[in-house]
Amino acid sequence: MLQKRPLCVIFLLFVLSEANVFQCRSKLLQGCNCGKIYYQSETLFTVNCTNLSFRDTAMLRELPEETQMLVFTGNHVAVLEMNVFGDDAYLSELKIVDMSNNGIREIKGKAFHHVPSVERLILNHNNISISNEDDGNFHHPRVFSNFYNLKELHLTNAFADNTDSALADDLHDIFVNSNLTKLYKLHLEQNEIKFFKDANVFCDLPNLHDVHLGDNNIPSLNFNVKCLKKLRYLDLESNNITRFSEKDLEAFDSLTGTDREENLILEIKGNPFRCDQAIKVLYNWLLETKVEVRDKDHLECHQAKYGTKYIMNLKNLAAAKHAKISQAITVLLVVLVVILITLLAAYIYLKKDKVKSRFGPVLDVLTRKVHYTTIDSQDV
Ligand SMILES: *[C@@H]1O[C@H](CO)[C@@H](O)[C@H](O)[C@H]1NC(C)=O
Ligand SMILES: *[C@@H]1O[C@H](CO)[C@@H](O)[C@H](O)[C@H]1NC(C)=O
Ligand SMILES: *[C@@H]1O[C@H](CO)[C@@H](O)[C@H](O)[C@H]1NC(C)=O
Ligand SMILES: *[C@@H]1O[C@H](CO)[C@@H](O)[C@H](O)[C@H]1NC(C)=O
Ligand SMILES: *[C@@H]1O[C@H](CO)[C@@H](O)[C@H](O)[C@H]1NC(C)=O
């Protein structure tokens, strides 16, 4: 009996540690869950405030010190004020911050302080305008400057619609001023981006490996990729690209080679390529490049006259054209031969007497020979 008790206690402790999510102790954090959860192959002490209709972030000043992941989503917080996590807070364990779906319109310059250990910041599905000139405090290029260890920045559908030019203007300033030396992965999908003010917009992110720019309105490779020495994944799916120049394709090729860990992976499906001269260059490049182009067989080009074609089928198109030409040549040859024979026949008919006198003896010999052979064979 005495021996069994510790086992029971251990078992009880085990059960408790597995289901370790409780209401948070702080009154301000009422409604949120606090506790350890298993998330993407690690156990993290998580504070989860999902869909609680919070209108500000005051409660985040009372985050437990051991917090490793903060999920603060589905609330209604228009402005992230200075020092979201408090003036004297030091959340040295905080690794993941998810503030998606909060209708955030503005992030004040010093909103995020004391966040040295955060590796992943998620601000998807918000309504952020970086250049909000309504208040004197607009344009905060240092908004991410305290994230020394940030590896992933998720900004999918994060910005207000119709801010595309302002966003493009500010993105580079933000990256230059934020010193995101470790940033590995950047998500900027669904932001209606067309142009970047500065083609070197991503060049100050020296560790950038993955850039996600799908579902924007980018019309060409209008930013520098050659400066991104570590780039291994570029998503340009569902943009507004009609063609790549040879220089663009060279830039992609510069991100392959034996001196690199991995060759570039490229997503370009869902762009309105045109079936023109440039597409032939793209087609040949697709056959030869070391860049891993995803969904090659589903790439399409469009031509007003013939509609949509699969780019990788262009070869068949070319072959068909070739076959048509050789067919035409055959027909032409047959016609020429027929004309020649007709002319020859006409000539012979017109000059039949002359021909007879010249070839007569030969013909006679031939007919006689035929005659004899027939007789011979009959003899046998
Ligand atoms: C946070 O809580 C909500 C329910 O309130 C749950 O659906 C969601 O999965 C939780 N998130 C995490 C990362 O545990
Ligand atoms: C949170 O609210 C959103 C939108 O109202 C809803 O789609 C989502 O399912 C909710 N999540 C949870 C965990 O209740
Ligand atoms: C986003 O903000 C704009 C004004 O900046 C506003 O007109 C729009 O309704 C907001 N959208 C959402 C989904 O909150
Ligand atoms: C940028 O961050 C690195 C460490 O990641 C630091 O050594 C460097 O001084 C910082 N530079 C600026 C301008 O803040
Ligand atoms: C896509 O590009 C075409 C020109 O090629 C332009 O007319 C159109 O407005 C662009 N669409 C968007 C959404 O930017």
Side-chain angles (χ1 to χ4, degrees):
M1 266 321 250
L2 272 173
Q3 268 173 338
K4 267 188 184 164
R5 197 170 284 160
L7 264 181
C8 285
V9 171
I10 288 169
F11 181 70
L12 198 69
L13 281 176
F14 180 72
V15 168
L16 278 178
S17 70
E18 279 300 288
N20 217 351
V21 178
F22 303 109
Q23 285 283 311
C24 304
R25 240 174 268 137
S26 155
K27 268 233 173 78
L28 280 178
L29 285 164
Q30 204 168 26
C32 304
N33 288 324
C34 285
K36 285 192 179 168
I37 65 157
Y38 191 71
Y39 181 78
Q40 294 185 349
S41 72
E42 48 184 344
T43 304
L44 298 174
F45 187 94
T46 302
V47 176
N48 184 345
C49 310
T50 297
N51 288 5
L52 293 175
S53 308
F54 285 133
R55 304 230 146 235
D56 59 45
T57 57
M59 74 299 302
L60 298 184
R61 293 170 165 250
E62 304 220 333
L63 282 186
E65 238 172 68
E66 66 264 46
T67 304
Q68 293 173 300
M69 173 157 78
L70 169 65
V71 181
F72 184 89
T73 61
N75 297 296
H76 313 280
V77 181
V79 181
L80 290 187
E81 300 289 353
M82 278 171 74
N83 282 345
V84 166
F85 299 120
D87 305 317
D88 48 6
Y90 193 78
L91 299 160
S92 59
E93 302 283 319
L94 191 59
K95 276 168 78 172
I96 302 176
V97 175
D98 183 352
M99 299 188 103
S100 302
N101 268 310
N102 287 314
I104 298 170
R105 283 196 270 123
E106 196 190 343
I107 302 176
K108 298 275 190 197
K110 289 176 182 158
F112 295 106
H113 252 194
H114 312 302
V115 283
S117 54
V118 173
E119 294 178 1
R120 186 186 307 167
L121 176 62
I122 308 171
L123 287 167
N124 298 341
H125 308 297
N126 279 299
N127 202 1
I128 305 166
S129 35
I130 311 180
S131 302
N132 182 1
E133 301 193 39
D134 294 346
D135 73 315
N137 194 18
F138 71 97
H139 199 82
H140 312 297
R142 293 178 59 80
V143 67
F144 301 124
S145 63
N146 294 306
F147 290 95
Y148 310 118
N149 285 304
L150 200 65
K151 290 182 181 153
E152 292 183 26
L153 181 53
H154 295 250
L155 294 168
T156 300
N157 187 28
F159 299 98
D161 296 352
N162 73 38
T163 51
D164 99 79
S165 60
L167 169 62
D169 275 7
D170 279 3
L171 269 180
H172 186 224
D173 292 348
I174 288 175
F175 295 144
V176 169
N177 286 291
S178 291
N179 195 20
L180 298 169
T181 49
K182 295 189 178 166
L183 196 71
Y184 190 99
K185 191 183 278 194
L186 177 61
H187 283 270
L188 279 169
E189 296 102 323
Q190 301 171 32
N191 283 311
E192 300 177 37
I193 299 171
K194 280 185 194 164
F195 302 104
F196 301 100
K197 179 176 74 175
D198 187 336
N200 294 328
V201 55
F202 304 119
C203 292
D204 292 283
L205 304 169
N207 194 40
L208 203 55
H209 280 66
D210 300 357
V211 179
H212 298 255
L213 284 165
D215 291 306
N216 280 295
N217 295 327
I218 297 170
S220 62
L221 185 63
N222 54 14
F223 55 94
N224 186 350
V225 291
K226 276 183 156 178
C227 64
L228 302 172
K229 295 295 175 213
K230 297 190 175 168
L231 190 68
R232 56 151 207 191
Y233 179 83
L234 177 59
D235 171 19
L236 289 170
E237 201 173 314
S238 302
N239 273 281
N240 200 14
I241 301 170
T242 52
R243 65 191 294 271
F244 285 120
S245 71
E246 292 195 36
K247 211 172 138 213
D248 299 339
L249 300 177
E250 271 168 33
F252 292 140
D253 278 331
S254 78
L255 299 169
T256 65
T258 46
D259 55 328
R260 291 170 51 93
E261 276 172 41
E262 291 167 90
N263 288 336
L264 177 70
I265 297 170
L266 188 62
E267 306 252 17
I268 51 173
K269 203 176 63 176
N271 278 292
F273 290 111
R274 294 221 190 88
C275 302
D276 57 9
Q277 198 60 33
I279 213 69
K280 284 185 199 163
V281 176
L282 180 62
Y283 170 79
N284 286 320
W285 180 80
L286 286 170
L287 291 183
E288 284 168 14
T289 184
K290 289 200 185 80
V291 175
E292 184 186 330
V293 181
R294 292 263 170 89
D295 289 314
K296 243 185 234 188
D297 292 333
H298 293 101
L299 298 181
E300 294 176 342
C301 66
H302 190 84
Q303 202 173 21
K305 213 167 154 190
Y306 301 111
T308 303
K309 300 236 181 288
Y310 287 119
I311 293 176
M312 294 314 283
N313 279 350
L314 288 180
K315 191 184 174 187
N316 302 352
L317 210 108
K321 221 180 204 172
H322 196 249
K324 258 186 201 156
I325 288 173
S326 60
Q327 221 172 10
I329 288 175
T330 314
V331 170
L332 195 69
L333 273 177
V334 168
V335 169
L336 281 176
V337 167
V338 168
I339 290 173
L340 200 71
I341 289 173
T342 315
L343 283 176
L344 208 68
Y347 177 79
I348 291 170
Y349 179 76
L350 287 174
K351 308 265 174 164
K352 56 182 183 253
D353 295 336
K354 238 186 194 167
V355 170
K356 213 173 190 175
S357 62
R358 193 176 287 177
F359 294 105
V362 184
L363 276 177
D364 274 357
V365 168
L366 275 178
T367 34
R368 230 173 287 151
K369 209 169 186 179
V370 169
H371 197 62
Y372 291 145
T373 7
T374 339
I375 289 167
D376 283 352
S377 53
Q378 267 171 2
D379 278 351
V380 176

